[in-house]
Amino acid sequence: MPIQIILEKCTGCKLCLKACPFNAIRIEDKKGLPAGRQAVIDLNTCNLCGACVPACKLKAILLEKPDKACIVPDIKDYKGIWVFIEQKKGKVQSVSYELLGKAQELAKQLSCQVSAVFLGNGLDDQLEELVWHGADNIYLIQAPELANFQDEPYTNVLVKLIQKYKPEILLCGATSIGRSLISRVAVNINTGLTADCTGLDIDPEKKILLQTRPAFGGNIMATIISPNHRPQMATVRHKVMQPIAPDKRRKGKIIREQFDSSLYASRTKLLDIVEEVEALINLSEADIIVSGGRGMGGPENFKLLYELAQVLGGAVGSSRAAVDAGWMPYSHQVGQTGRTVAAKIYIACGISGQIQHLVGMQSSKIIVAINKDPDAPIFKVATYGIIGDLFEIIPALTKKFKESLKR
Amino acid sequence: MNIIVCIKQVPDTTEVRINPETNTLVREGVKSIINPFDMYAIEEAIRIKEKLGGKTTVITMGPPQAEAALREAFAMGIDEGILISDRAFAGSDTWATSYTLVGAIKKIGEFDLILCGKQAADGDTAQVGPGISAHLDIPQVTYVKKIEEIKDGLARVERMTEEGFEIIETPLPALFTVVKEINEPRLPSLKGMMRAKQAKIALWTQKELNLDAQKIGLCGSPTQVVKIFTPPPKKGGKIITGETQEVVSELFDLLKSEVN
Amino acid sequence: MDYLLTDGQKMIQELSRKIAQEKVAPVAAKYDITEEFPWDVLKVIADSDLFAIFVPVEYGGIGGGVLDLCIATEELSRACGGIAVCYAASALGTFPIILFGNEEQKKKYLPDLASGKKIAAFGLTEPEAGSDASAIKTTARKEGDHYVLNGTKHFITNGAEAQIYTIVAMTDKTKGARGASAFIVEKGTKGFTFGKKEEKLGIRASITSELVFTDCKIPKENLLSKEGMGFIITMKTFDMSRPGVAAQALGIAQGALDHTVKYAKERHQFGKAISSFQGIQWMLADMATEVEAARSLVYSVARMVDSGKTGVSKESAMAKLFASDVAMKVTTDAVQIFGGYGYMKDYPVEKFMRDAKITQIYEGTNQIQRNIIALQLIKEMAK
């Protein structure tokens, strides 16, 4: 039994019932027990997540923990925090600076150094910037074969480096590159990986990485640890962490590594990189997003949003409902199955605010909601809410900004 | 072409709600469905088979009730379904899950292509697909939005990125994770549903797979969940009321400092 | 209400409901405006084997009964009465072949109709032969190995879009109703053209056209059954298809009710959801009760037909009469509960009201249904 209730201790107090996110525990009457009732775990529903264990004040729940054999023996040898630096066409992506900022914060708690792992070709002009943003060391691996990201060579190199230098923590952006690469690395070096973290912290006693992430479409948050394996690896969403202000006095060490060319071999061949004009309005990068949902009534009305976005220098987003209705292309979709954004201003027009949409935009700094329905859930997350007709408000707002900004 | 599709049964997250009193997930009455992203993988497998011939096998790991997901895949038109289920596999994280699925894939034997959805809608990790290709040491292409051509043991595909897409050629066997753009999954057919009802679904447990006990279930999972909680509900902010002009003026004043 | 459906019927219900929600509902308003034929939706319906329901297994079908067809029609109608009728009209055009076709005819036509590769239409009505079907003027003259058709059919559902038509024409005018015969005519046959396409109040996703026969030569093998059987074939076909029209009405009523209950919960007036007002509650209760009563009658009659009972004309007529009157009433009340919004095209219920009206008119007006019922009643009393 991987999880069990100790009958002698259980009083049927229901504390575990409330802690269980999966409704897998029920209380049953049972004769012969001191309390006359006990908690019962439905093993088909139970996910062994362990949330009930600390909830039980009587220590009546036992969750089988991995035995010693699973623990990596040289765990103490792993030191330092690494950030995988993502580059495209030789240019460092902003998520990497954000991660360096977070890594610096974590490093203070662990009293260790932050290292950037930088793979590519012709990257020397970017090194200073990395140091200024918080890299104490840069592991630099340059080769023509590494110019563009490819799963296999990048995996091979990263695995070799980890085996050689043994970092304690490895952070990486939760991007199309990061999520692809790091999952493969984690399996190869037999360690744990937590995807898409929105929070990272250090447990003050055990000195391990606490990785917090949303699950079930953002309905619940889970904190995850990798206590017995190293490095502890996590991917982090774009715009969740803050970069530190660049400090040009900072100094860093560059460690250049070369490997045998066989390590750079790739079975997959990158034939072409195509940039699509539509996707270039990179929603994830936009500071201001004007977004429309079902309340827009039809594709022709998105014109209003484009006008406002143009005046504000922002991009146009969309809820899934508007994409499903064929009013907007999928590349504009914000939400769980679309893009995650963290804008300075997010203006939601005629979007009701289903949880799947909210998880994609609620880390925006200012959220403005314009909706006819006062009960729309979007108002629960809105910084400023306007109950009214967007077809009047948006053109008026566009006019107002146009006049003031002289655009 | 022998194609293996890995699917997961998930609660329909569009229906999952939080009970505000107990602060727990309300899963009663929430339907279990095939992970929406896996539907694209199933559809793509069937389309490839319709074009090039071969066999489609769908595997899923989960509790006994996950059999329903396999039957749904049968109704769409896949040829074989295997349920990987054992209490010993419970509590698996993505590492142990991909290891276990690979155990099943090796038992199936020869294959040309493995298809997975880009991620599961409940966990959203996107790790199991690449995990499988790493365990098997085969090439992978993630976020595939189009399979352009499969010919002479090579596949040319389009991989979606933040800026557009990459065109990648890979030898087979390989693993692809697919995104929504790749196709529109078909609805089941009545004849398919009837066939699905009769279909024999193989059940593989730890006994059949005989995997390293240290690498499965809780023990084989490097990550552990220490806490699960409901995010504190965001408090609603200020409601601006009045005539259109007043509302717009007030909103303008509030936003202008943020707009360059 | 639990109608104790078989597993197969539940499957049909589940699948057609899914198609209705995912594929029909999103395009219902579009086709209502454009009046185009919804080929894309029919392709989905075909790929899902719904056209196979009413075709025997040996010809590529599933061999379902009238109740199975009713369930599918009802579910599709919940989303759009117009798209549903494109489907049901193909069944109507197919029934004569299933009921009276010989082995060659069945082998030739049914597999494609079952797969939905082709759809069918039924041609009876003429400008001067509506309720009085015996007044048809279209003639079929035998010439050697052929029949030569002349005349015009109008108000033909699926006309000009369907590939297979069953046409009733007079082979012997001197015999009156006993002089009619039924033929299979393929689209593309020389002398077979299409006239006016009607603009309609409702079910605008379906196409209603004129069929024009000008010395249209068809092989004699296309005669269904024997000469003179035309009206018997028609009556037997209607016995099968009337529960289907009733099911269409039932679905339209249910669809309108679904929208109305949802709206009544969302719409606030005087600070409360209008569903909390007793006046609205009572209307909703009556609507729901009438819909359920209609369903009970439709399903019972469909089961009766499926059991092989003959002489079901009275019951078939009752189901069609009652369900279509319920549909008209329920959809009118739905518009009333929606208030001013209900009258506007932005909201779905006015379309349901327009769609409902035809169910009181076609396949025998409700006045004709009452004639059938009364006649049968009086006959029974005379025994």
Side-chain angles (χ1 to χ4, degrees):
Chain A
M1 239 10 125
I3 187 161
Q4 52 180 318
I5 309 259
I6 304 164
L7 292 184
E8 297 77 41
K9 290 187 182 171
C10 178
T11 62
C13 74
K14 295 192 184 169
L15 277 174
C16 53
L17 211 80
K18 290 181 184 158
C20 176
F22 302 104
N23 286 339
I25 310 181
R26 60 184 190 276
I27 304 294
E28 277 185 4
D29 291 330
K30 200 148 197 181
K31 283 190 186 125
L33 286 177
R37 57 201 179 135
Q38 65 151 121
V40 178
I41 298 174
D42 175 6
L43 287 177
N44 274 331
T45 322
C46 174
N47 207 21
L48 299 180
C49 78
C52 54
V53 177
C56 180
K57 299 274 180 281
L58 303 160
K59 295 194 172 16
I61 305 175
L62 271 185
L63 178 67
E64 173 193 291
K65 289 281 173 195
D67 56 27
K68 288 276 186 281
C70 302
I71 299 176
V72 176
D74 58 349
I75 201 159
K76 289 269 176 277
D77 300 344
Y78 288 76
K79 287 274 182 284
I81 302 175
W82 281 16
V83 174
F84 171 78
I85 305 298
E86 184 170 323
Q87 55 85 13
K88 281 177 177 169
K89 294 182 182 166
K91 193 177 174 320
V92 173
Q93 301 294 295
S94 54
V95 65
S96 303
Y97 293 127
E98 295 162 19
L99 291 180
L100 284 172
K102 186 70 193 179
Q104 269 299 332
E105 188 189 315
L106 299 173
K108 288 201 181 78
Q109 295 173 64
L110 289 172
S111 318
C112 69
Q113 289 200 317
V114 171
S115 304
V117 192
F118 202 13
L119 279 65
N121 200 29
L123 304 174
D124 285 315
D125 60 332
Q126 309 263 313
L127 303 179
E128 269 184 332
E129 196 79 22
L130 290 174
V131 172
W132 297 341
H133 276 91
D136 300 312
N137 309 298
I138 299 174
Y139 293 97
L140 183 65
I141 302 89
Q142 302 200 88
E145 297 94 324
L146 299 177
N148 293 307
F149 166 75
Q150 291 198 89
D151 284 299
E152 289 179 273
Y154 271 55
T155 302
N156 295 342
V157 169
L158 207 49
V159 167
K160 269 278 183 298
L161 287 171
I162 290 168
Q163 285 166 347
K164 184 167 172 189
Y165 293 103
K166 300 186 193 303
E168 188 173 5
I169 291 172
L170 173 61
L171 306 180
C172 176
T175 59
S176 67
I177 289 179
R179 296 181 97 177
S180 189
L181 164 73
I182 291 296
S183 310
R184 211 172 158 104
V185 171
V187 163
N188 275 322
I189 52 179
N190 189 13
T191 191
L193 166 61
T194 308
D196 245 0
C197 295
T198 52
L200 291 174
D201 212 341
I202 301 292
D203 182 313
E205 284 166 35
K206 295 180 193 145
K207 298 286 176 200
I208 54 176
L209 185 66
L210 300 172
Q211 310 156 55
T212 300
R213 69 183 303 271
F216 285 102
N219 282 292
I220 58 169
M221 305 294 290
T223 301
I224 293 167
I225 56 171
S226 255
N228 305 322
H229 295 76
R230 292 295 179 270
Q232 305 164 82
M233 309 213 307
T235 62
V236 179
R237 290 187 187 187
H238 188 29
K239 294 222 171 186
V240 169
M241 305 301 175
Q242 293 294 322
I244 54 171
D247 177 357
K248 298 197 173 178
R249 292 164 307 179
R250 281 187 57 97
K251 292 275 174 285
K253 199 166 99 190
I254 315 290
I255 302 136
R256 291 174 192 268
E257 285 277 348
Q258 278 300 324
F259 295 103
D260 186 82
S261 65
S262 67
L263 214 62
Y264 302 147
S266 177
R267 284 174 285 189
T268 62
K269 229 171 25 198
L270 180 61
L271 302 179
D272 199 1
I273 298 176
V274 182
E275 289 186 355
E276 284 176 308
V277 185
E278 191 61 49
L280 272 179
I281 317 153
N282 195 336
L283 269 183
S284 318
E285 300 285 346
D287 280 333
I288 297 175
I289 294 171
V290 187
S291 211
R294 202 191 294 277
M296 293 305 297
E300 62 282 359
N301 297 328
F302 273 83
K303 183 173 91 241
L304 298 177
L305 306 189
Y306 276 106
E307 283 163 8
L308 179 59
Q310 198 193 359
V311 171
L312 297 176
V316 175
S318 160
S319 74
R320 177 171 172 176
V323 171
D324 284 352
W327 301 345
M328 287 291 277
Y330 171 70
S331 53
H332 290 259
Q333 185 177 321
V334 173
Q336 190 195 4
T337 52
R339 285 169 199 253
T340 305
V341 300
K344 273 191 349 202
I345 304 176
Y346 188 91
I347 305 177
C349 308
I351 294 177
S352 65
Q354 297 297 316
I355 182 82
Q356 293 74 26
H357 186 73
L358 299 186
V359 297
M361 47 64 83
Q362 63 188 357
S363 42
S364 296
K365 192 172 153 202
I366 296 174
I367 295 170
V368 180
I370 305 171
N371 206 303
K372 268 200 280 195
D373 176 10
D375 299 326
I378 190 83
F379 287 117
K380 296 205 175 83
V381 302
T383 328
Y384 307 119
I386 298 167
I387 300 156
D389 186 357
L390 68 98
F391 296 108
E392 286 181 18
I393 294 161
I394 295 295
L397 195 63
T398 308
K399 195 163 159 253
K400 190 99 188 162
F401 271 106
K402 214 175 197 164
E403 284 162 9
S404 88
L405 298 168
K406 307 251 176 332
R407 279 181 193 163
Chain B
M1 286 286 289
N2 284 334
I3 307 167
I4 298 174
V5 186
C6 306
I7 69 169
K8 182 181 185 186
Q9 190 185 46
V10 300
D12 188 346
T13 52
T14 56
E15 288 183 23
V16 172
R17 293 280 174 274
I18 297 287
N19 177 341
E21 278 161 38
T22 56
N23 220 21
T24 55
L25 281 183
V26 181
R27 294 182 70 168
E28 272 119 27
V30 174
K31 270 187 312 187
S32 286
I33 56 169
I34 293 178
N35 170 38
F37 297 111
D38 298 345
M39 296 293 278
Y40 305 110
I42 296 171
E43 175 67 30
E44 199 60 25
I46 297 171
R47 288 188 188 190
I48 296 171
K49 185 205 149 171
E50 282 169 352
K51 217 159 124 189
L52 303 174
K55 195 169 115 182
T56 51
T57 306
V58 172
I59 61 175
T60 191
M61 173 170 149
Q65 56 265 35
E67 191 191 302
L70 292 173
R71 294 212 184 269
E72 223 184 305
F74 267 110
M76 286 174 72
I78 59 119
D79 301 316
E80 243 175 76
I82 299 163
L83 174 66
I84 301 152
S85 187
D86 197 313
R87 284 306 305 169
F89 302 146
S92 293
D93 72 356
T94 57
W95 199 102
T97 301
S98 49
Y99 172 77
T100 310
L101 287 170
V102 163
I105 290 167
K106 285 182 174 157
K107 187 173 158 74
I108 293 170
E110 284 198 7
F111 65 89
D112 301 291
L113 186 59
I114 301 174
L115 294 175
C116 304
K118 73 158 178 162
Q119 65 197 57
D122 55 351
D124 278 332
T125 70
Q127 282 166 201
V128 171
I132 292 170
S133 47
H135 277 297
L136 286 169
D137 190 24
I138 57 171
Q140 73 185 31
V141 185
T142 51
Y143 305 105
V144 170
K145 76 176 185 95
K146 187 177 178 189
I147 297 179
E148 288 182 351
E149 194 179 31
I150 296 177
K151 211 175 135 188
D152 305 329
L154 287 174
R156 194 173 67 245
V157 302
E158 292 176 8
R159 171 180 189 267
M160 202 166 78
T161 65
E162 285 81 356
E163 292 80 18
F165 61 93
E166 301 168 342
I167 301 173
I168 293 176
E169 188 180 77
T170 177
L172 300 179
L175 178 142
F176 301 156
T177 74
V178 299
V179 294
K180 183 181 170 155
E181 284 74 9
I182 196 165
N183 57 43
E184 190 183 341
R186 69 194 65 195
L187 289 171
S189 67
L190 272 179
K191 288 179 187 171
M193 286 166 89
M194 287 169 179
R195 203 171 57 94
K197 227 179 133 217
Q198 312 290 331
K200 275 213 174 69
I201 287 173
L203 171 70
W204 289 356
T205 63
Q206 165 65 348
K207 208 177 121 208
E208 280 80 23
L209 297 180
N210 195 21
L211 300 167
D212 182 345
Q214 298 296 329
K215 292 183 176 172
I216 58 169
L218 263 188
C219 187
S221 300
T223 60
Q224 296 174 10
V225 178
V226 279
K227 193 168 91 178
I228 287 195
F229 58 100
T230 318
K234 251 201 167 179
K235 286 231 166 58
K238 185 180 171 164
I239 297 289
I240 305 170
T241 53
E243 291 300 310
T244 302
Q245 283 313 318
E246 295 165 30
V247 168
V248 166
S249 294
E250 191 175 345
L251 187 60
F252 174 77
D253 291 337
L254 289 165
L255 297 182
K256 66 181 174 198
S257 64
E258 296 287 337
V259 178
N260 311 320
Chain C
M1 192 93 119
D2 187 342
Y3 289 98
L4 307 173
L5 300 180
T6 62
D7 284 349
Q9 287 160 348
K10 284 182 192 157
M11 247 180 228
I12 291 170
Q13 190 177 48
E14 182 193 329
L15 181 60
S16 13
R17 189 171 294 172
K18 204 174 161 81
I19 294 172
Q21 286 169 354
E22 292 178 18
K23 306 289 178 185
V24 179
V27 297
K30 178 183 106 180
Y31 284 115
D32 184 47
I33 294 167
T34 62
E35 285 202 283
E36 282 164 6
F37 197 71
W39 277 116
D40 57 340
V41 183
L42 291 188
K43 171 93 172 45
V44 172
I45 292 175
D47 289 346
S48 299
D49 298 332
L50 295 197
F51 284 109
I53 291 177
F54 48 82
V55 177
V57 177
E58 52 275 38
Y59 308 105
I62 283 171
V66 171
L67 180 53
D68 304 56
L69 176 60
C70 282
I71 290 169
T73 308
E74 176 191 349
E75 291 299 335
L76 295 175
S77 304
R78 265 172 94 165
C80 177
I83 291 173
V85 83
C86 302
Y87 167 72
S90 188
L92 175 67
T94 308
F95 278 139
I97 305 176
I98 296 171
L99 295 172
F100 293 92
N102 57 37
E103 192 57 27
E104 286 74 43
Q105 289 166 336
K106 288 180 178 177
K107 270 194 188 143
K108 183 170 177 195
Y109 294 107
L110 292 182
D112 282 352
L113 290 166
S115 69
K117 201 170 144 195
K118 291 183 177 162
I119 64 166
F122 184 64
L124 172 68
T125 304
E126 296 183 7
E128 283 163 59
S131 290
D132 178 10
S134 63
I136 59 168
K137 292 208 168 84
T138 300
T139 55
R141 193 178 67 241
K142 191 155 184 203
E143 276 185 9
D145 287 348
H146 291 84
Y147 284 94
V148 179
L149 269 61
N150 275 293
T152 301
K153 298 282 173 187
H154 83 164
F155 295 172
I156 304 305
T157 308
N158 286 354
E161 301 293 339
Q163 295 91 345
I164 310 293
Y165 295 78
T166 38
I167 302 294
V168 183
M170 301 301 287
T171 36
D172 187 347
K173 277 189 177 174
T174 61
K175 287 186 180 162
R178 288 171 196 277
S181 304
F183 300 92
I184 303 169
V185 185
E186 294 180 39
K187 185 178 181 176
T189 307
K190 200 170 164 228
F192 177 23
T193 55
F194 304 103
K196 186 183 172 211
K197 179 183 149 188
E198 305 293 341
E199 277 184 50
K200 303 191 294 297
L201 171 73
I203 56 166
R204 289 162 58 87
S206 71
I207 298 287
T208 308
S209 290
E210 225 173 27
L211 316 181
V212 182
F213 300 97
T214 319
D215 291 331
C216 172
K217 247 171 104 176
I218 54 167
K220 72 176 194 324
E221 288 75 28
N222 285 20
L223 171 71
L224 277 167
S225 184
K226 290 184 293 200
E227 277 189 26
M229 285 290 284
F231 279 107
I232 293 175
I233 292 173
T234 302
M235 291 310 135
K236 295 286 171 197
T237 295
F238 280 167
D239 283 351
M240 300 285 281
S241 67
R242 265 191 195 119
V245 177
Q248 186 204 353
L250 169 63
I252 292 172
Q254 182 68 55
L257 178 62
D258 295 340
H259 282 293
T260 309
V261 176
K262 188 164 169 274
Y263 180 79
K265 281 163 72 184
E266 286 168 0
R267 171 74 172 168
H268 282 67
Q269 287 289 276
F270 307 105
K272 280 194 257 180
I274 62 168
S275 63
S276 62
F277 301 129
Q278 201 172 45
I280 301 286
Q281 290 177 353
W282 285 11
M283 283 176 83
L284 292 174
D286 284 346
M287 289 159 80
T289 307
E290 285 156 2
V291 169
E292 208 57 69
R295 185 172 290 117
S296 299
L297 185 55
V298 175
Y299 284 18
S300 301
V301 172
R303 282 202 168 111
M304 197 174 150
V305 178
D306 286 339
S307 74
K309 279 237 163 31
T310 51
V312 294
S313 300
K314 183 182 75 179
E315 289 76 10
S316 269
M318 284 175 164
K320 194 266 179 183
L321 167 68
F322 186 74
S324 59
D325 282 353
V326 163
M328 202 60 240
K329 178 169 181 299
V330 166
T331 54
T332 310
D333 285 348
V335 171
Q336 191 66 29
I337 291 175
F338 269 71
Y341 290 113
Y343 201 71
M344 304 301 160
K345 293 219 170 198
D346 285 349
Y347 287 78
V349 285
E350 59 85 31
K351 174 181 180 291
F352 281 86
M353 184 173 153
R354 288 185 284 112
D355 287 353
K357 186 62 205 173
I358 191 63
T359 62
Q360 292 181 309
I361 298 173
Y362 63 14
E363 279 195 61
T365 63
N366 280 9
Q367 287 65 36
I368 293 292
Q369 307 301 331
R370 288 181 173 94
N371 287 351
I372 296 170
I373 297 163
L375 194 68
Q376 194 59 34
L377 271 181
I378 293 161
K379 267 194 203 163
E380 284 167 15
M381 287 302 273
K383 272 179 196 166

